[in-house]
Amino acid sequence: MRLCAWYLYGEKHRGYALNPVANFHLQNGSVLWRINWMGDTSPRGIGASCGMMVNYRYFLEETASNSALYLASKQVRASEQVLALVSQCQQNSKL
């Protein structure tokens, strides 16, 4: 879960989210909201994402500002749950 949070939040290509689905949602102003352990247990879900599923949340009143923030300064908006996982990953990682 921690590595997944870091991958979605912190791994970048030219400053933008490395994951194309994350990049799509973040460009459109979403918040990286929740990571669900075993959220997709289909064979494809297990193979593609080890069964993890991610929720992106759109707060309509913040969508435009989130999108502008991401596109201009490459900052990802994320929930406290995701940020806690990112923090744990950074503390425990040797990356």
Side-chain angles (χ1 to χ4, degrees), residues 44-75:
R44 183 171 186 242
I46 296 293
S49 63
C50 299
M52 291 190 216
M53 184 178 280
V54 179
N55 296 114
Y56 296 92
R57 188 164 179 188
Y58 288 85
F59 294 97
L60 295 180
E61 64 279 356
E62 299 173 9
T63 300
S65 61
N66 289 348
S67 177
L69 181 69
Y70 180 69
L71 293 171
S73 61
K74 301 168 179 78
Q75 292 182 4

Side-chain angles (χ1 to χ4, degrees), residues 66-88:
N66 289 348
S67 177
L69 181 69
Y70 180 69
L71 293 171
S73 61
K74 301 168 179 78
Q75 292 182 4
V76 174
R77 292 274 328 270
S79 70
E80 289 183 23
Q81 183 238 19
V82 173
L83 293 175
L85 289 167
V86 168
S87 178
Q88 291 170 16

Side-chain angles (χ1 to χ4, degrees), residues 5-95:
W6 175 252
Y7 170 69
L8 295 170
Y9 180 83
E11 288 299 317
K12 308 289 177 133
H13 175 69
R14 296 185 179 154
Y16 296 106
L18 183 61
N19 180 275
V21 174
N23 191 50
F24 169 82
H25 286 290
L26 296 168
Q27 284 182 8
N28 287 304
S30 73
V31 175
L32 181 55
W33 191 251
R34 183 173 50 210
I35 299 172
N36 304 291
W37 175 253
M38 300 307 280
D40 184 356
T41 58
S42 69
R44 183 171 186 242
I46 296 293
S49 63
C50 299
M52 291 190 216
M53 184 178 280
V54 179
N55 296 114
Y56 296 92
R57 188 164 179 188
Y58 288 85
F59 294 97
L60 295 180
E61 64 279 356
E62 299 173 9
T63 300
S65 61
N66 289 348
S67 177
L69 181 69
Y70 180 69
L71 293 171
S73 61
K74 301 168 179 78
Q75 292 182 4
V76 174
R77 292 274 328 270
S79 70
E80 289 183 23
Q81 183 238 19
V82 173
L83 293 175
L85 289 167
V86 168
S87 178
Q88 291 170 16
C89 183
Q90 290 173 324
Q91 291 172 0
N92 296 323
S93 177
K94 296 181 181 177
L95 298 175

